[in-house]
Amino acid sequence: MAAMRRLAPELLITAKTQRWSPEEFLRTLIDAEITAREESNARTRMRVAAFPVRKRLDEFDVAASSIPKATFDYLSSLEWIRAAENACFIGPAGTGKSHMLVALGVAAVEAGHRVRYFTAAELVETLYRALADNSVGRVIEGLLRHELIIIDELGFAPLDDTGAQLLFRFVAAAYERRSLGIGSHWPFESWGKFLPEHTTAVSLLDRLLHHCHTVVTNGDSYRMKQARRKGANTTK
Ligand SMILES: Nc1ncnc2c1ncn2[C@@H]1O[C@H](COP(=O)(O)OP(=O)(O)O)[C@@H](O)[C@H]1O
Ligand SMILES: [Mg+2]
């Protein structure tokens, strides 16, 4: 009721001078409280999401990327999150995978969803720690309170057998319940490179890809393009 308490004295004066009905006064006060709470909840969700950078969908130059406009629009609609489907961004460094994952995450938070960003290494480390005190199941259930869990940089570092098993357990638990947003520079057929057990790789991909929007980002690195453009400008 903090907003109500803060606003009440001033609002009371306005209500008196403008001869508001008691209903009108109360409704205004309650609306202010609801708005304040929603804003505070959104701020909390944004903090909990742990985005490494702040990126927005309207900052993404779709024409400069290999992502079809229709795919971009569909993903931006967040419909896939409501349907507990996945989105996988596959492509080389600097092609906008993390930008898209974070921007979709930010949009989801703003739309009222709970979101959590991890790099694959962070997620596996979290699960490893849970293994040490026998709480993997509980930790996974906790993570699945989020409607969208982002696993970025999958395949940067190879996983050991236990790490791969833990990742599989997580993906299997999220299957058809929650949305996963994946970023990897490895095409699916190369996932054996960082998932040591062939059967784990196959089972994991099976769950992941069943309801999945796969987006291949390719072309030149946006970072390199920007660097080149800067270079061209300074040599002019
Ligand atoms: N199509 C794009 N429009 C605007 N910025 C982009 C685009 N693609 C990449 N970037 C920017 O280039 C940088 C690298 O992109 P990033 O998403 O981190 O690449 P990746 O995760 O694929 O390695 C970021 O600063 C990102 O905001
Ligand atoms: Mg990235």
Side-chain angles (χ1 to χ4, degrees):
M1 300 294 183
M4 273 192 170
R5 207 179 313 128
R6 187 160 31 81
L7 290 171
E10 202 184 321
L11 209 59
L12 199 56
I13 296 170
T14 315
K16 269 187 189 151
T17 52
Q18 297 187 2
R19 299 178 187 284
W20 286 3
S21 67
E23 291 83 16
E24 213 172 341
F25 172 67
L26 204 57
R27 188 161 8 91
T28 310
L29 208 53
I30 290 171
D31 283 350
E33 178 68 29
I34 290 172
T35 308
R37 279 189 191 195
E38 277 169 0
E39 277 167 9
S40 148
N41 288 346
R43 268 199 304 278
T44 305
R45 283 199 310 278
M46 202 66 89
R47 200 174 46 242
V48 169
F51 297 119
V53 286
R54 206 47 78 77
K55 296 282 178 187
R56 304 193 59 88
L57 288 168
D58 58 19
E59 294 163 349
F60 192 78
D61 184 350
V62 187
S65 82
S66 64
I67 304 176
K69 179 78 168 64
T71 306
F72 179 87
D73 288 345
Y74 176 73
L75 291 173
S76 303
S77 77
L78 308 179
E79 204 56 60
W80 57 285
I81 297 177
R82 286 180 278 271
E85 295 169 352
N86 303 326
C88 288
F89 292 86
I90 308 293
T95 52
K97 302 183 298 295
S98 299
H99 186 132
M100 282 300 297
L101 286 169
V102 170
L104 287 168
V106 168
V109 165
E110 286 171 351
H113 292 296
R114 277 163 302 187
V115 179
R116 181 71 165 87
Y117 175 100
F118 287 101
T119 62
E122 285 164 353
L123 176 64
V124 171
E125 198 185 298
T126 301
L127 297 175
Y128 243 111
R129 244 181 284 127
L131 196 61
D133 59 12
N134 220 1
S135 63
V136 178
R138 216 164 349 109
V139 167
I140 288 179
E141 281 311 306
L143 293 177
L144 292 181
R145 277 204 298 266
H146 301 93
E147 278 109 18
L148 169 64
I149 302 101
I150 296 170
I151 312 175
D152 200 3
E153 300 182 358
L154 185 56
F156 258 38
L159 295 170
D160 63 13
D161 273 341
T162 310
Q165 285 299 332
L166 288 167
L167 183 66
F168 169 71
R169 219 175 130 179
F170 179 74
V171 170
Y175 176 64
E176 293 190 332
R177 277 180 64 196
R178 295 304 192 196
S179 288
L180 299 179
I182 307 282
S184 179
H185 60 283
W186 291 113
F188 298 126
E189 59 274 18
S190 304
W191 282 27
K193 288 200 189 351
F194 63 90
L195 293 167
E197 268 261 23
H198 179 70
T199 46
T200 312
V202 171
S203 318
L204 189 141
L205 279 167
D206 186 57
R207 306 297 193 289
L208 193 63
L209 299 183
H210 185 195
H211 308 285
C212 186
H213 304 277
T214 299
V215 183
V216 176
T217 60
N218 50 31
D220 287 346
S221 157
Y222 197 84
R223 292 188 194 100
M224 296 300 280
K225 263 193 264 187
Q226 270 189 331
R228 264 206 303 275
R229 210 174 306 140
K230 271 192 206 137
N233 285 343
T234 50
T235 51
K236 237 192 273 170

